Amino acid sequence: MTLALRSETLGWGKEAVLRDVTLQIADGERVALMGRSGVGKSTLLRALHDRADGRVAVVAQDHGLVDALSVFHNVWMGRLDDFGAARNLRTLIRPNTAERRSVEEVLDRVGLTGLGRRPVASLSGGQRQRVALARAMLRGGATVFADEPVSALDPAQGDALLLALSGDFGTSIMVLHDTGQALRSATRIVGLKAGGIVLDAATADVDAARLMELYT
């Protein structure tokens, strides 16, 4: 799969956020989208997601969780479209041993061991973010699209989970703010500023100082 945008204007409705965007992302790349808040990173991420074929996973900035449901059910939502309505209703009422085990495995990986039955509404911000990550891991796929997926975690925890995502998905496209995490986890940096792409380079060719220029 190759994702491509060619001289496109991106935005919400009639409001343009990014203009003349040309970008191509190939299989196997780990891309970090960077820039100041409001510059259009989420808009670009959404446009790339809309052009993706096949199975993909998403980690939304707002986590996309249902507070009335348990951690288990929020994680299992990553697989709802794999089954019909009858199976999903049964899982909502009485998940079987295999379903619980599959969710428990990804909860272990994100540091939420034993919390499957807990209501999502009772979780901290960092725990909610981990639930969203676990849901993406359970879903799996060729590509993960993630919008600030570890912003509520400390750097060491964030690094570990970014590494886990990179291991699970052949291609990753993530909005990141932490320059260190971007340099450690990505193979390519796409930087936005003033309504467009101003940086597109291999991670090996940039440093933290160059990335900080995106925020001035």
Side-chain angles (χ1 to χ4, degrees), residues 86-198:
R87 166 74 180 272
N88 288 328
L89 180 60
R90 193 269 300 155
T91 305
L92 176 65
I93 299 169
R94 190 185 296 275
N96 63 34
T97 300
E99 291 161 351
R100 288 196 179 279
R101 184 181 300 116
S102 65
V103 170
E104 287 167 1
E105 288 173 355
V106 292
L107 290 178
D108 288 346
R109 295 180 62 200
V110 301
L112 294 179
T113 301
L115 297 188
R117 296 178 184 272
R118 183 171 296 184
V120 161
S122 70
L123 301 182
S124 68
Q127 289 172 324
R128 292 172 68 89
Q129 195 162 64
R130 290 170 184 268
V131 173
L133 288 163
R135 182 177 56 199
M137 290 175 175
L138 183 70
R139 177 169 179 75
T143 305
V144 60
F145 296 86
D147 198 341
E148 298 187 43
V150 295
S151 59
L153 307 178
D154 68 47
Q157 293 171 331
D159 282 355
L161 288 171
L162 290 176
L163 180 63
L165 285 178
S166 296
D168 283 8
F169 297 90
T171 305
S172 62
I173 305 169
M174 303 188 192
V175 173
L176 296 174
H177 275 302
D178 187 300
T179 58
Q181 286 182 334
L183 291 170
R184 290 188 294 270
S185 65
T187 59
R188 178 180 173 189
I189 307 290
V190 174
L192 305 180
K193 192 173 184 178
I197 295 174
V198 297

Side-chain angles (χ1 to χ4, degrees), residues 35-65:
R36 298 178 66 174
S37 295
V39 77
K41 301 182 299 299
S42 297
T43 299
L44 178 56
L45 186 72
R46 185 179 67 252
L48 291 167
H49 172 266
D50 289 347
R51 287 157 177 76
D53 294 323
R55 190 178 183 89
V56 302
V58 175
V59 183
Q61 187 178 34
D62 65 358
H63 310 142
L65 306 180

Side-chain angles (χ1 to χ4, degrees), residues 35-36 179 192-193 198-199 207-216:
R36 298 178 66 174
T179 58
L192 305 180
K193 192 173 184 178
V198 297
L199 173 67
D207 57 19
R210 177 67 183 90
L211 298 184
M212 287 306 299
E213 294 176 7
L214 298 170
Y215 298 89
T216 60

